[in-house]
Amino acid sequence: MGDTGLLAQLMGQAADDGADLQTLRAIAEEAGELGATRAMARIGLSDAAAAGDVQELRELLKAWRDAKRSALRAAVAWVMRMAFALLLVGIAVKTGWPEWAR
C-alpha cells in the first residue's frame, strides 16, 4: 500500500468509526510523515546521499560564518591600529617632535 493509500485508509476508518483519538493521532502522524517525505523530495533531499549533502552544507555555512567573523576582527584590528597611529602622530605634533628632529 502506498503512502497516500494508508492515509486514505485511516481517514476512511475515522469516518466510519466516528474518529476516536487513536485514529486521529494515526492520521496526523501519517499526514506529517507523508508531507515531510514530499517536501524532502521537492528540495532534492530524498536520496541516500541527502545526509551527506546536508552535512556538507552545514560545514560550508560554518566556514562562511568563520570567514565573516575573521574578516570583521581583522577590519576592527586595522581600524584600531590606524586610530592608534593617528593618536601617536597627534601627540608627536603637539609635543613639538618635528622641531626635535631637526
Side-chain angles (χ1 to χ4, degrees), residues 2-89:
D3 291 337
T4 56
L6 182 56
L7 184 57
Q9 179 187 5
L10 286 170
M11 291 178 69
Q13 180 181 347
D16 293 341
D17 294 346
D20 61 345
L21 183 60
Q22 188 176 12
T23 304
L24 290 175
R25 284 184 178 169
I27 289 173
E29 186 176 326
E30 284 299 317
E33 179 124 1
L34 182 60
T37 302
R38 285 181 181 172
M40 297 298 277
R42 284 183 184 151
I43 61 173
L45 293 175
S46 61
D47 60 349
D53 293 342
V54 170
Q55 184 62 32
E56 284 182 33
L57 286 172
R58 286 180 182 218
E59 289 173 9
L60 183 62
L61 184 59
K62 183 180 182 305
W64 171 252
R65 288 177 178 159
D66 290 344
K68 281 194 327 184
R69 192 175 311 121
S70 295
L72 180 63
R73 286 182 184 164
V76 168
W78 183 81
V79 167
M80 293 302 294
R81 284 186 193 116
M82 293 303 290
F84 186 65
L86 287 173
L87 179 66
L88 286 177
V89 168

